[in-house]
Amino acid sequence: MKTAKFEKAFSSFTDSGPDKIRTQFINMDKNFPTDPSTSNSPLTGWSSVAVHGGHIQDPMYAHQVPIYASSTYVFDSAEQGMRRFDGKEEGYIYSRWGNPTMTEAEAKITALETFQLGIEAKGILHASGMAAIATLLLANLKPGDKILSHYSLYGGTNEIISKVLPGLQITPVIADLRNLSLAEDLMKSDPQLKMLYLETPANPTIQCVDLEALCGLAKKYKLITACDNTFATPYLQQPFKHGVDFIVHSTTKFLNGHGTAIGGILLGRDVALMNGPITKLHRTLGGNSNSFDAFLLIQGMKTLEVRMERHCHNAMEVAGYLENHPAIARVNYTGLASHPDHAVAMKQMRHPGAMLSFELKGGLQAGIGFMNRLQMCVRTVSLGTCDTLLSHPASMTHYSVPKTEKEKYGITDGLIRMNTGIENIQDIIQDLDQALKPFS
Ligand SMILES: *Cc1c(COP(=O)(O)O)cnc(C)c1O
């Protein structure tokens, strides 16, 4: 049965290929116009775009996007193969270069990061957050360049910036970028600074930097800007709104939301640059994702707004509870007026997020004892899942780091990092309460 709708979907599927499909938004049943961020799409709510954004009706009428488990794509004729390789005809060729399931994930995240901004962008899905960061850095920096960033970056990012880049004659300049006049002095005095790399909020003290102010300075001194938006997600914060050129995510965290796949994405405002040299570099480096992980990511993102609302509500409740607990010396949560970056976070984020950290008065022994008493909450190091996760950097991620080094990053012996989950809030607080009992 070849209906007109079938013809329409099938032709968009076979003839337009990755680059057109990426910005399309077709729902055959409701006949929605194409792109939710820039067109006259009837979708005005964030969650509607999270659910429907990027979806293309499958020509075989599957409701959900299929997992395209195919390494290559066939050509109708040798001439078509020639046109595809020549770039004269768009279409899938080889899954390292693009795959329909990955395209849907890319289009959904791009729609969310550009939601109601009236701008274009392009996202390229990667095998991990680190792969996306590697593509970003290698695409934009060359020997002799310098990169400006701040303390408290994600561990892997810190490794690549401080250990890998220097081997390529790219020098890191790390400073406290909450100090805007220091940031300006550095940019003004060093013409070799090529990129400003930000991560906000950042580990483990939930430090935030001012995206609008720093991007304004970067534009003035002609630096490329990039922001790791993993902790916030596009629901809480849209870095493009503040003038950021590139966004990276570890989709492993809140975007996937269920801890089922590693993934990352690099998004850029300059679509020609993204479609040209950056796509080429990504294809050559080979850090591509795969259709199964992309499928899991797509399913996870549909509930992002609902999850983030609950994560943030629970985090605020937990922060309030911990702030008044006698065993706790300090709570780091940007939702609390006591956090040094409270005002910056409130200015650029919808809610303060799911992540917080707190310091036990009893130090290392209390940290270990508390972790061992947890019953429902989970002892692990990642974040972004539905369940509440706690980690103790001093005995886990940062066990082998010298104490003086740890303190530079705000990691004290009694510090606990928490990803507040979406469980019932009474149950979360009850578990923390019983685990804190011996240390009160
Ligand atoms: C996890 C994480 C990364 C790295 O992502 P992977 O998917 O593990 O490669 C980068 N930045 C932040 C903020 C993260 O939390």
Side-chain angles (χ1 to χ4, degrees):
M1 186 192 65
K2 276 202 170 186
T3 62
K5 282 178 175 178
F6 181 97
E7 291 290 356
K8 183 181 163 206
F10 198 75
S11 71
S12 81
F13 180 75
T14 54
D15 294 337
S16 42
D19 290 319
K20 279 216 190 91
I21 288 174
R22 230 178 275 277
T23 54
Q24 270 176 355
F25 179 72
I26 293 173
N27 183 318
M28 284 207 323
D29 298 334
K30 299 180 192 122
N31 272 324
F32 277 139
T34 53
D35 185 345
S37 64
T38 53
S39 77
N40 57 346
S41 167
L43 301 184
T44 55
W46 202 93
S47 201
S48 312
V49 177
V51 173
H52 297 284
H55 184 63
I56 302 243
Q57 178 62 54
D58 169 55
M60 297 301 141
Y61 286 84
H63 174 202
Q64 303 299 335
V65 63
I67 299 166
Y68 282 88
S70 184
S71 55
T72 59
Y73 302 83
V74 297
F75 308 124
D76 287 338
S77 62
E79 288 79 8
Q80 186 184 42
M82 214 174 351
R83 290 195 301 275
R84 292 258 168 110
F85 273 100
D86 211 23
K88 293 204 173 95
E89 178 184 303
E90 289 183 31
Y92 295 100
I93 295 175
Y94 185 57
S95 279
R96 171 152 52 75
W97 291 24
N99 166 296
T101 321
M102 299 191 312
T103 299
E104 178 153 333
E106 289 167 340
K108 197 186 276 299
I109 301 174
T110 307
L112 295 173
E113 280 292 8
T114 56
F115 179 67
Q116 289 184 342
L117 299 182
I119 58 162
E120 264 197 272
K122 162 143 172 177
I124 304 177
L125 204 64
H126 282 70
S128 66
M130 286 315 302
I133 292 168
T135 301
L136 166 79
L137 298 175
L138 292 177
N140 288 290
L141 298 169
K142 57 178 193 325
D145 288 341
K146 292 185 182 174
I147 176 170
L148 177 61
S149 195
H150 52 80
Y151 296 104
S152 293
L153 293 173
Y154 175 75
T157 312
N158 185 49
E159 267 313 279
I160 200 168
I161 289 182
S162 67
K163 306 239 170 82
V164 179
L165 293 186
L168 305 170
Q169 279 92 53
I170 299 160
T171 312
V173 177
I174 306 297
D176 183 354
L177 299 182
R178 288 176 296 183
N179 182 341
L180 294 173
S181 61
L182 170 68
E184 176 153 22
D185 286 347
L186 289 167
M187 291 185 209
K188 191 166 25 179
S189 63
D190 196 342
Q192 280 175 293
L193 281 175
K194 178 90 184 290
M195 178 185 274
L196 173 68
Y197 184 94
L198 308 172
E199 183 183 319
T200 182
N203 251 328
T205 54
I206 328 299
Q207 166 186 300
C208 292
V209 291
D210 189 328
L211 288 172
E212 191 184 5
L214 287 167
C215 286
L217 289 174
K219 290 277 165 304
K220 186 167 160 193
Y221 298 103
K222 306 210 163 25
L223 272 76
I224 299 163
T225 48
C227 178
D228 183 332
N229 202 28
T230 302
F231 272 38
T233 81
Y235 181 62
L236 300 183
Q237 171 176 285
Q238 287 174 291
F240 284 148
K241 189 170 161 182
H242 307 291
V244 164
D245 300 310
F246 294 98
I247 297 173
V248 287
H249 279 280
S250 168
T251 62
T252 314
K253 316 294 165 53
F254 295 100
L255 293 180
N256 170 295
H258 302 76
T260 53
I262 300 287
I265 191 164
L266 167 64
L267 299 118
R269 281 284 300 276
D270 184 336
V271 176
L273 182 68
M274 291 300 290
N275 281 333
I278 296 183
T279 289
K280 206 162 178 186
L281 180 67
H282 166 250
R283 289 174 175 181
T284 308
L285 292 176
N288 60 299
S289 183
N290 64 81
S291 51
F292 183 61
D293 287 355
F295 172 81
L296 294 170
L297 174 59
I298 290 162
Q299 304 316 319
M301 283 191 292
K302 292 178 187 177
T303 56
L304 187 60
E305 174 174 333
V306 189
R307 284 187 286 111
M308 291 316 288
E309 282 290 335
R310 181 66 168 260
H311 275 297
C312 297
H313 171 263
N314 283 356
M316 195 66 219
E317 294 282 313
V318 166
Y321 160 79
L322 291 172
E323 205 178 28
N324 295 310
H325 197 286
I328 310 289
R330 189 163 48 94
V331 182
N332 302 308
Y333 185 57
T334 43
L336 298 174
S338 60
H339 194 286
D341 306 328
H342 175 68
V344 169
M346 293 297 95
K347 186 173 89 166
Q348 63 198 22
M349 294 173 74
R350 191 193 295 260
H351 302 307
M355 299 302 295
L356 56 91
S357 65
F358 54 95
E359 202 175 316
L360 288 160
K361 285 181 185 162
L364 189 66
Q365 284 319 309
I368 294 171
F370 165 79
M371 290 298 291
N372 285 337
R373 285 179 60 85
L374 291 169
Q375 292 173 341
M376 178 188 79
C377 300
V378 182
R379 282 180 293 273
T380 186
V381 290
S382 195
L383 59 126
T385 57
C386 295
D387 42 352
T388 297
L389 313 178
L390 289 104
S391 66
H392 179 217
S395 69
M396 300 175 180
T397 45
H398 293 70
Y399 180 65
S400 55
V401 178
K403 198 175 163 112
T404 50
E405 195 63 23
K406 273 191 282 226
E407 282 170 359
K408 263 200 229 159
Y409 296 91
I411 297 167
T412 50
D413 283 346
L415 190 80
I416 304 287
R417 192 186 76 172
M418 177 164 173
N419 164 69
T420 317
I422 64 170
E423 301 101 329
N424 179 290
I425 184 61
Q426 253 77 49
D427 290 338
I428 298 173
I429 290 180
Q430 154 62 27
D431 195 16
L432 297 176
D433 200 60
Q434 66 77 25
L436 284 169
K437 273 262 143 64
F439 311 105
S440 308

